[in-house]
Amino acid sequence: MLNSLQPTQQEENDAEALPLQKIFETLPGLLLVLSPTLVIRAATNAYLQETLTERENIVGRYVFDVFPDNPHVPESSSSSSLMASFQQVLTTGKPHSMDVFQYDIPDPANPGAFMERFWSTTNTPVLNEQGEVRCMIHETVNVSEAVKAKDLLGQSRKREQEALAQAEQQRLRLERLFEQAPAAFAMLEGPELVYKVINSAYQQLFPGRQMLNLPLFEALPELRDQPVYAIVQNVITTGETFEGKEVLIPVARYEGQPTEDIYWNFIYQALYDAQGQISGMLIFALDVTEFVEARRQVEKSAESLQALNSELEGRVKSRTQDLLLAQAETLSQKQQLEGLFMHAPAAICILDGPELVFQLVNPVYQQIFPGRDIQGKPLLKALPEVEGTVIPSILSRVYQTGETYVASELPLMLARHEGGPLEEIFWTFTYLARRNGEGTVDGVLVYAHDVTNQVEARRSIEASAQQLQLITDSLPVLISYLDRKKKYRFANKMYGSWFDLKGESIVDKPIAEVIGDRAYEKIKGNIKRALAGEKVDYEAAMPYKEGLRHIRVSYVPDLRNGEVVGFYSLVMDVSEQVAARKALERSEEEARGIAKELAAANKQLTHINADLDNFIYTASHDLKAPISNIEMLMEELLLELPRQSLEQGDLRTIISMMRGAIARFKKTIDSLTHISKLQKDEPGREASVSLEEVIQEVRQDMAQIILKSGAKIGVSVEACNTVTFSEKNLRSIVYNLLSNAVKYRHPERALTVDVRCHEEGEYVVLQVRDNGLGLSAEQQGKLFTMFRRFHDHVEGSGVGLYMVKRIIDNAGGKIKVKSEEGEGTLFSIYFRQNSHTAERPLL
């Protein structure tokens, strides 16, 4: 390392005066400005980016302090070569270009570490007027990728020579391996994809079909109407490898037989000729139907097949055409077969020689031991814990005899990580002897599955099933599970008491066989909904051996991977609850009938109370009414109540209450009479009375009633402001008419009452119009013919209107009613004028 040189004061002053520095920094090249003492004065942004440095960390510093030698490359001194170039420029005042040389740069992310770089550099002096070097422009280009490419090309040539020497032997070996492999392989050639090579494992998938030398879709015509047809077309058109996992492809294993649902793991890979054109397709296939039916416990990932080395292939094409074709075909087959093993969705390894060295380990196999380096090691050194197990003896027997060995769920204590704890791993595997060109066994092909998860899952399921059976057998409800074929897969003990069967004998039986065809017809629609993915709750009456039961049922779908595979059934006997509910409903119906009768009676009593209020108001303002007549009217009212809606005891109670009210009312009348006499009041005398004043007094008396009802009352009586009549009787008339309008207002609109007056011949006519319920034609007819007796009035036309009619009749007047049902009523009261006939008694 060269010593650091500190910048002089003159150099620092010169740095401050550098012109156009910002423009320099934006230049696209990798440029440095160096002082004669090799201090960095400026750097372009491109240079900073390429060397992973920052301007404030390098400007003003000695260049070899910023970029020291890589101590890990002692055989060459990068700084010495660069310094020699700088010295030559400073001495000669002329530019100097350097050959490509290695100069590693510090890695800012890892202090003390360096990043490999190769550079093509030119150092150019900047001279002053005296011809002296004022500074230098250091311009460089990163040529690392080109150097590496050149190096890789050399390595490629070397590998090519080695590969050509071994290609033929490897091809023969792989062909034998291809034939002996436990997985199914087939090679199809030409645009019609004719079967040219089929190993025995592939032929065994279709033992009853002729396939060799037939086009794919002629040998297996059922594939044409399936998605696999489009997949094949895409592979041979685009060259894209397709990898399928657990794909359902229905095919027939025997010629002329119906298709079977078979699940496949497979790879379709395009084959290329020496010119790089697609010439066929390679198939790697596994029948994984058993694994799928066992809830697809085995899932293995796959990786895309790596492309052939185009650079190497390009160089090889420069050789003679005959040699090129032969070598390319051999190498392509070797790589394809090797690639299939490396990308197969199962764990595969090749143990080489009598020491069983791991010659080839595919990624799936390596993932079983993620923390262990096993490639290139003998079995007992890579996995020493297998010593003392049955594995060495089994492998030795396969190697010595060439016989295939198959094991299922064999437990072994192995460590997944180097130095890690031993774990119990369950294996299902095949050991297959590998033979060389002379047919001699020279290794063992291992095809293995780590089925630990499946074994543990099965054990857990079995334990859970036992626990579930114990729990559900103790419950007083029917609990079961049915598959998509509507067969029982589980049933608790309670089924035996309902169907006279033991729980275990129900399993595998169709539901229709267990519950009977008639019962099944009633519930099959609900079962269909459950198998469609819907949770179903319903009640039904079903026949059982002990008679009709009312049941409450819940079906819960069993969804797995987005597919309904069955449903859970929960059946409860709710016969007692249903009986209790029906009894309660009958009681409620009876209660509603009684309540309806009482409501009718209560409604009649409500109208009677309102009419009695009007009657009392009228009587209290007309003290001429004989008390005996009042009592007689009250007795008549009570005797004419609708007896059909009241019990005899209720009627007696009402009569007793009303008689008490009559007694109290008589006392009130007596008191008012006494006060009237003291005041020398003459209530029956006619006089000129102000209609407007009487109406306003009545409105004050009814203020609370009007406010509560929300009624709006308009008055227009200027045309005939006075009328010759008893003031108190007039007040009773107005009160009863307004009260009647409030009482029978329409429930769907606000009440409005319009009070007007006009003269008509010998009469002054007072009109009260409302927008209430109104009367039908039938009700109006009854109203006029039934005024004489209280009980003959239409509903709601009670004591109030009866009193109005009596007062008007006694005064020689008349009353008219005009009404439209649902629209309102118009009452017209005719007061006779210029009559000196005294009013007759009210009753």
Side-chain angles (χ1 to χ4, degrees):
M1 177 62 63
L2 299 177
N3 295 329
S4 300
L5 299 178
Q6 299 297 325
T8 65
Q9 183 63 42
Q10 180 60 39
E11 289 174 341
E12 294 180 352
N13 294 337
D14 291 345
E16 295 177 357
L18 280 175
L20 303 176
Q21 181 167 335
K22 291 298 181 182
I23 296 177
F24 173 80
E25 291 174 354
T26 60
L27 292 176
L30 310 184
L31 304 174
L32 281 181
V33 176
L34 299 174
S35 72
T37 57
L38 305 184
V39 173
I40 299 173
R41 309 314 303 167
T44 62
N45 296 333
Y47 185 89
L48 297 175
Q49 182 178 357
E50 189 67 40
T51 59
L52 306 179
T53 57
E54 297 179 358
R55 183 171 283 106
E56 58 268 22
N57 294 335
I58 69 171
V59 173
R61 295 183 59 192
Y62 185 56
V63 65
F64 294 114
D65 285 347
V66 176
F67 300 106
D69 280 321
N70 184 355
H72 304 295
V73 188
E75 62 274 9
S76 64
S77 175
S78 303
S79 60
S80 297
S81 300
L82 186 57
M83 175 56 96
S85 177
F86 288 153
Q87 292 295 342
Q88 183 173 341
V89 172
L90 291 172
T91 302
T92 65
K94 296 180 180 180
H96 180 259
S97 297
M98 302 178 64
D99 293 334
V100 174
F101 69 107
Q102 180 177 354
Y103 201 130
D104 299 341
I105 63 173
D107 184 353
N110 298 289
F114 284 77
M115 303 173 69
E116 185 180 66
R117 291 291 186 272
F118 292 87
W119 308 89
S120 175
T121 303
T122 298
N123 296 309
T124 304
V126 177
L127 306 177
N128 60 15
E129 294 179 355
Q130 289 75 33
E132 299 171 340
V133 177
R134 183 179 178 185
C135 61
M136 287 185 293
I137 303 298
H138 173 71
E139 181 177 7
T140 189
V141 177
N142 183 0
V143 295
S144 302
E145 293 301 325
V147 172
K148 292 179 181 178
K150 184 177 180 180
D151 183 59
L152 289 174
L153 181 59
Q155 295 177 17
S156 174
R157 288 174 178 154
K158 183 178 179 180
R159 287 196 304 270
E160 179 185 355
Q161 297 300 323
E162 295 174 352
L164 292 175
Q166 299 178 7
E168 185 62 23
Q169 183 178 359
Q170 289 291 337
R171 185 181 67 81
L172 293 174
R173 176 177 291 180
L174 288 174
E175 281 184 357
R176 287 182 177 273
L177 187 61
F178 177 89
E179 177 60 31
Q180 298 171 3
F185 292 92
M187 186 177 297
L188 296 83
E189 295 182 357
E192 294 185 354
L193 300 177
V194 176
Y195 281 103
K196 289 299 183 181
V197 178
I198 299 177
N199 73 345
S200 58
Y202 193 95
Q203 185 61 61
Q204 288 173 7
L205 296 175
F206 307 96
R209 306 189 73 161
Q210 174 63 35
M211 307 180 75
L212 196 62
N213 295 322
L214 290 178
L216 171 63
F217 295 109
E218 182 178 337
L220 300 172
E222 60 266 35
L223 298 182
R224 284 187 177 275
D225 298 327
Q226 299 188 40
V228 70
Y229 180 84
I231 295 172
V232 170
Q233 297 302 320
N234 186 68
V235 171
I236 64 175
T237 301
T238 67
E240 296 178 358
T241 298
F242 183 85
E243 186 173 335
K245 285 189 176 182
E246 297 183 359
V247 178
L248 175 60
I249 304 178
V251 293
R253 297 188 186 276
Y254 293 87
E255 188 73 31
Q257 295 297 315
T259 60
E260 304 176 30
D261 285 347
I262 305 176
Y263 289 86
W264 304 89
N265 284 0
F266 63 90
I267 294 175
Y268 289 166
Q269 178 184 348
L271 291 176
Y272 294 86
D273 57 21
Q275 287 74 35
Q277 301 298 315
I278 296 175
S279 61
M281 186 174 71
L282 193 64
I283 297 177
F284 171 91
L286 288 174
D287 179 355
V288 294
T289 305
E290 293 183 1
F291 296 99
V292 173
E293 291 178 349
R295 300 177 185 176
R296 298 173 180 172
Q297 295 290 335
V298 180
E299 295 182 357
K300 301 298 178 181
S301 62
E303 300 177 358
S304 302
L305 188 63
Q306 294 181 349
L308 297 176
N309 190 318
S310 58
E311 179 66 22
L312 178 60
E313 188 178 75
R315 293 297 180 180
V316 172
K317 285 182 180 179
S318 64
R319 306 297 186 269
T320 61
Q321 187 63 26
D322 293 340
L323 179 61
L324 171 64
L325 294 175
Q327 293 172 343
E329 182 179 358
T330 301
L331 184 60
S332 175
Q333 291 180 5
K334 170 183 174 295
Q335 290 176 336
Q336 288 169 354
L337 292 175
E338 211 171 68
L340 282 173
F341 282 115
M342 296 302 291
H343 294 85
I348 300 176
C349 69
I350 297 176
L351 301 174
D352 185 56
E355 294 186 358
L356 302 175
V357 175
F358 281 100
Q359 182 185 43
L360 182 146
V361 178
N362 78 342
V364 178
Y365 193 96
Q366 182 64 62
Q367 287 173 8
I368 299 173
F369 304 100
R372 307 188 71 164
D373 183 13
I374 59 178
Q375 182 74 35
K377 295 182 179 180
L379 172 68
L380 295 181
K381 288 186 178 180
L383 302 173
E385 58 266 36
V386 302
E387 190 170 4
T389 69
V390 298
I391 297 302
S393 61
I394 294 174
L395 286 169
S396 177
R397 184 166 65 252
V398 172
Y399 191 88
Q400 297 297 329
T401 65
E403 297 176 355
T404 300
Y405 182 86
V406 179
S408 177
E409 296 185 0
L410 178 67
L412 293 173
M413 298 301 294
L414 300 173
R416 296 187 185 273
H417 296 267
E418 192 71 36
L422 297 180
E423 303 177 31
E424 186 177 42
I425 303 176
F426 289 84
W427 298 89
T428 293
F429 58 83
T430 299
Y431 289 163
L432 183 70
R434 186 189 70 177
R435 301 177 183 273
N436 59 20
E438 290 75 31
T440 304
V441 175
D442 64 352
V444 177
L445 173 65
V446 178
Y447 181 82
H449 290 280
D450 177 357
V451 295
T452 306
N453 291 337
Q454 295 94 304
V455 173
E456 292 177 350
R458 188 182 67 248
R459 291 178 175 178
S460 176
I461 291 171
E462 292 171 353
S464 298
Q466 293 176 356
Q467 185 69 17
L468 178 63
Q469 190 73 55
L470 291 174
I471 294 173
T472 57
D473 283 349
S474 65
L475 297 177
V477 295
L478 299 183
I479 300 175
S480 62
Y481 179 87
L482 295 95
D483 61 18
R484 286 198 62 84
K485 296 179 180 179
K486 305 172 189 175
K487 290 185 177 181
Y488 286 97
R489 294 304 177 192
F490 171 83
N492 70 337
K493 188 176 182 180
M494 186 58 66
Y495 270 84
S497 62
W498 282 41
F499 297 101
D500 200 19
L501 294 168
K502 293 183 180 179
E504 57 269 20
S505 66
I506 295 177
V507 175
D508 291 330
K509 291 183 180 295
I511 185 172
E513 181 180 337
V514 174
I515 69 174
D517 292 336
R518 289 182 59 191
Y520 176 72
E521 285 298 318
K522 296 180 66 175
I523 66 171
K524 69 178 183 180
N526 293 323
I527 293 176
K528 182 178 180 180
R529 291 165 57 196
L531 290 175
E534 179 184 353
K535 183 180 183 299
V536 182
D537 296 296
Y538 68 92
E539 290 189 8
M542 303 286 284
Y544 294 93
K545 69 175 185 177
E546 296 179 354
L548 192 67
R549 292 179 186 257
H550 290 274
I551 58 173
R552 181 178 296 127
V553 184
S554 292
Y555 293 156
V556 181
D558 182 14
L559 286 170
R560 303 184 190 179
N561 298 323
E563 180 183 358
V564 179
V565 298
F567 65 94
Y568 299 92
S569 172
L570 176 65
V571 182
M572 300 177 62
D573 185 352
V574 294
S575 301
E576 294 182 0
Q577 296 93 311
V578 171
R581 185 177 69 222
K582 289 183 177 180
L584 179 59
E585 290 173 352
R586 288 195 296 271
S587 298
E588 290 177 347
E589 184 64 27
E590 294 173 359
R592 282 194 294 271
I594 295 172
K596 185 175 181 181
E597 293 180 0
L598 292 177
N602 183 60
K603 181 177 180 181
Q604 185 66 33
L605 289 175
T606 300
H607 291 316
I608 293 171
N609 288 337
D611 290 336
L612 287 176
D613 288 342
N614 296 344
F615 176 78
I616 293 170
Y617 180 86
T618 300
S620 68
H621 289 79
D622 191 349
L623 301 180
K624 292 168 35 177
I627 298 301
S628 60
N629 287 352
I630 295 173
E631 183 174 2
M632 181 183 69
L633 178 62
M634 300 294 281
E635 290 288 354
E636 182 181 358
L637 169 66
L638 293 171
L639 291 175
E640 296 303 328
L641 284 173
R643 291 173 174 77
Q644 68 275 15
S645 62
L646 296 174
E647 297 292 340
Q648 190 64 28
D650 296 333
L651 183 59
R652 288 196 297 268
T653 301
I654 294 172
I655 293 173
S656 177
M657 293 172 61
M658 298 302 284
R659 284 173 174 164
I662 292 170
R664 291 193 298 275
F665 177 65
K666 289 169 65 178
K667 290 181 181 180
T668 302
I669 297 300
D670 290 342
S671 298
L672 293 172
T673 302
H674 177 67
I675 294 172
S676 178
K677 288 179 179 180
L678 291 178
Q679 296 177 347
K680 298 180 179 181
D681 186 20
E682 297 181 8
R685 176 175 297 178
E686 292 182 345
S688 180
V689 181
S690 171
L691 278 173
E692 184 173 9
E693 291 179 1
V694 169
I695 292 171
Q696 295 302 334
E697 288 177 6
V698 173
R699 289 178 66 174
Q700 290 179 7
D701 291 342
M702 296 178 63
Q704 292 298 325
I705 297 175
I706 294 173
L707 179 64
K708 184 176 181 181
S709 67
K712 295 183 179 180
I713 300 178
V715 179
S716 178
V717 294
E718 294 84 355
C720 47
N721 190 38
T722 61
V723 63
T724 302
F725 207 74
S726 166
E727 180 179 353
K728 293 179 177 59
N729 286 347
L730 180 60
R731 184 182 292 109
S732 296
I733 291 171
V734 174
Y735 180 90
N736 277 284
L737 292 177
L738 294 181
S739 176
N740 189 76
V742 171
K743 182 165 56 174
Y744 300 109
R745 61 187 180 275
H746 200 289
E748 297 180 357
R749 57 176 175 259
L751 174 64
T752 60
V753 182
D754 185 28
V755 182
R756 295 180 178 273
C757 179
H758 69 274
E759 293 184 359
E760 187 176 318
E762 60 179 332
Y763 294 100
V764 173
V765 183
L766 175 67
Q767 291 186 320
V768 179
R769 184 189 300 274
D770 65 60
N771 64 340
L773 293 171
L775 299 172
S776 66
E778 181 181 0
Q779 290 173 321
Q780 293 181 56
K782 290 182 178 180
L783 181 65
F784 291 114
T785 60
M786 300 176 184
F787 264 136
R788 60 187 180 82
R789 292 181 58 83
F790 172 76
H791 73 280
D792 288 333
H793 296 172
V794 293
E795 182 181 356
S797 301
V799 177
L801 295 181
Y802 181 79
M803 294 303 301
V804 171
K805 179 70 166 62
R806 293 296 300 272
I807 292 172
I808 294 300
D809 287 346
N810 288 339
K814 57 183 178 179
I815 180 170
K816 293 183 179 180
V817 181
K818 184 179 180 181
S819 182
E820 185 176 351
E821 186 175 11
E823 299 295 330
T825 303
L826 171 64
F827 286 93
S828 299
I829 312 299
Y830 288 78
F831 298 100
R832 186 183 296 276
Q833 297 301 297
N834 303 320
S835 175
H836 301 288
T837 304
E839 293 183 65
R840 298 187 295 273
L842 178 63
L843 297 173

